[in-house]
Amino acid sequence: MPVESHSGTARAPRAPRTDAQRNRDRVLEVAAEVIAEQGTQASLRDIARRAGVGLGTLYRHFANREALLEALLHRRFTHLAERADALAATAPPERALAEWLYEFTLGAGAYQGLPAALMATLNDPQSPLHADCLTMRQAGGRLLGAAQDSGVIRPDVAPIDLFALANALSWIADQAPTLAERQEHLFRLMMDGLRPRSDRD
């Protein structure tokens, strides 16, 4: 929104100072490393220390933990939404859905604690993660609808069911690393369950 100057003329909002942008980028870079190591409940103080900034600087850029996660995940969610559209245009409905779901499942397990954080956004429109997550889920829902219209996925599956099942697979690997090697097998079992019964007999 334009800002009015003392002379009464409108001027564009000031761009972030170079050093402020550098600090923000550095915090995000370090946060990705620390959260990958420690999970979504990683210490913000530790992130600030390792980024070489004060905790106040971190909070000036990211008001809370969810705002920091939103910034980290925005690119991932945007990619998944765009990926769904690309698959819809180039692959048969069932393959498009399966490839997208598999990519989502792997991504949801990128950080320890992320599957739980994603589920928490479902009923919290105020969460900074909610809007990006909703856009991503809607893109997956379109793939689901196309697969159902083609008859390869059972009609009683709702988009929220799909999200919950895929997220549950990520949660299993998150909570029980010894089962991570079974993730592909579990994914195939999930896909089998999504098909109409006649296709599974």
Side-chain angles (χ1 to χ4, degrees):
M1 178 177 180
V3 178
E4 189 173 303
S5 68
H6 292 300
S7 64
T9 60
R11 53 187 171 84
R14 184 180 302 170
R17 295 199 327 256
T18 301
D19 59 341
Q21 185 62 48
R22 187 182 303 117
N23 283 340
R24 185 181 189 278
D25 292 344
R26 177 61 179 160
V27 168
L28 282 174
E29 178 185 347
V30 171
E33 297 171 0
V34 175
I35 292 174
E37 296 168 4
Q38 303 177 17
T40 56
Q41 296 304 308
S43 165
L44 298 186
R45 187 178 299 276
D46 189 30
I47 291 172
R49 179 184 59 78
R50 288 171 58 170
V53 302
L55 189 59
T57 297
L58 184 150
Y59 279 120
R60 275 196 296 275
H61 293 293
F62 309 103
N64 51 41
R65 183 183 304 277
E66 281 198 329
L68 178 59
L69 279 174
E70 190 276 336
L72 284 174
L73 295 173
H74 172 75
R75 183 176 298 178
R76 186 187 300 272
F77 288 159
T78 299
H79 166 75
L80 280 169
E82 293 173 349
R83 177 77 172 135
D85 292 338
L87 285 168
T90 59
E94 184 176 17
R95 196 181 85 195
L97 179 64
E99 288 189 15
W100 187 86
L101 271 179
Y102 188 70
E103 190 168 339
F104 167 76
T105 303
L106 290 181
Y111 301 135
Q112 183 182 15
L114 182 55
L118 292 180
M119 290 303 294
T121 69
L122 289 176
N123 297 314
D124 185 10
Q126 303 306 314
S127 166
L129 292 172
H130 182 81
D132 285 337
C133 191
L134 177 61
T135 299
M136 180 267 295
R137 293 201 315 270
Q138 289 172 336
R142 291 192 292 274
L143 292 180
L144 171 64
Q148 289 173 319
D149 289 344
S150 68
V152 296
I153 297 295
R154 52 194 291 176
D156 61 337
V157 179
I160 190 63
D161 300 331
L162 202 65
F163 177 73
L165 287 169
N167 207 52
L169 288 187
S170 300
W171 182 86
I172 289 171
D174 184 33
Q175 296 296 309
T178 55
L179 290 177
E181 63 185 28
R182 303 283 295 171
Q183 193 166 18
E184 288 196 22
H185 176 67
L186 293 172
F187 181 82
R188 288 194 296 271
L189 289 177
M190 180 184 76
M191 290 304 301
D192 285 345
L194 294 174
R195 296 186 180 97
R197 183 172 298 276
S198 59
D199 290 355
R200 292 179 278 139
D201 292 340

